[in-house]
Amino acid sequence: MKLYYSPGACSMASHVILHEIGKPFEVEQVSTKTKVMESGRDYWAINPKGAVPALEIAEGEILTEGPAILQYIADSNGATDLAPPAGTLARARVNEMLSFVGSELHKAFSPIFQPGKTDAEKDAAREMVGKKFAWLESCLADGRAYLTGSAFTVADAYAFVVASWANVTGISLAAWPNLTAYVERIAVRPSVQATLKAEGLA
């Protein structure tokens, strides 16, 4: 498999899960601004949506959208610890968290990264991010180690990456101690450390 990624973007979650699996894979960096890959090729030819991540499964077989990629990597490698079996409540809980991170938390951050947004609009987005963080804080308040319980899953990889954007958007996690501890707990995983190093972020 080959992952197309941009350092620090949501594609980092897929990168982390590939390291969790521990099987050989390739990566190629993409400029999200120019849509040119490090090889000089046009990324639009890989993913017509222009976004990362994209996963090349086989020649001409490209999978896009982070949550789909995360689940495919886990499922195709039999990693039921990372993604419980389909049809189980445990799997539905993981999908519940994947959906929240993608449609609520990730989306809340978007205005902060968009050029042309006013300071007021960015401040409003930070406030919305805070509300999403508060919900995650409440989920973690029962002492669970990860979003759905005691096991690290694909949802945690995605949540970790998006929550980490607080560091570059002027949002302090200090108001959410459970979330802070959660992010710190995931940050020291070997898969995350390997990904940070590979993406030039550590």
Side-chain angles (χ1 to χ4, degrees):
M1 291 188 280
K2 182 175 183 178
L3 177 70
Y4 296 90
Y5 78 99
S6 181
C10 60
S11 52
M12 180 187 288
S14 297
H15 204 166
V16 167
I17 294 302
L18 284 167
H19 278 294
E20 287 278 343
I21 295 298
K23 293 184 179 179
F25 63 91
E26 299 177 48
V27 295
E28 184 164 356
Q29 188 172 327
V30 178
S31 168
T32 53
K33 292 183 179 179
T34 65
K35 309 300 180 185
V36 175
M37 297 181 280
E38 58 186 328
S39 62
R41 294 184 299 155
D42 181 7
Y43 184 60
W44 291 109
I46 300 294
N47 182 6
K49 293 180 245 184
V52 292
L55 185 70
E56 186 172 354
I57 299 166
E59 186 71 31
E61 193 70 61
I62 304 291
L63 182 64
T64 64
E65 302 300 330
I69 290 171
L70 290 167
Q71 292 176 83
Y72 176 79
I73 294 169
D75 290 344
S76 63
N77 286 279
T80 54
D81 52 336
L82 296 172
T88 63
L89 178 58
R91 178 56 168 258
R93 291 300 185 193
V94 169
N95 282 333
E96 181 180 27
M97 288 299 182
L98 280 174
S99 295
F100 174 79
V101 175
S103 63
E104 299 288 337
L105 184 59
H106 189 160
K107 183 179 178 181
F109 267 102
S110 296
I112 306 175
F113 293 114
Q114 290 173 4
K117 291 292 183 181
T118 65
D119 289 343
E121 288 173 322
K122 290 183 179 182
D123 285 343
R126 290 186 182 94
E127 184 177 349
M128 183 58 67
V129 168
K131 291 178 180 179
K132 308 306 179 185
F133 279 168
W135 186 79
L136 289 177
E137 177 76 7
S138 70
C139 291
L140 296 164
D142 62 2
R144 68 182 70 177
Y146 300 105
L147 292 183
T148 58
S150 60
F152 175 85
T153 72
V154 293
D156 295 298
Y158 191 10
F160 165 78
V161 171
V162 179
S164 296
W165 293 345
N167 298 327
V168 295
T169 55
I171 301 172
S172 171
L173 289 179
W176 306 284
N178 294 316
L179 181 59
T180 299
Y182 168 80
V183 169
E184 291 173 348
R185 189 158 51 247
I186 295 175
V188 298
R189 293 181 73 86
S191 61
V192 173
Q193 289 296 308
T195 300
L196 291 170
K197 184 176 181 180
E199 297 193 4
L201 301 173

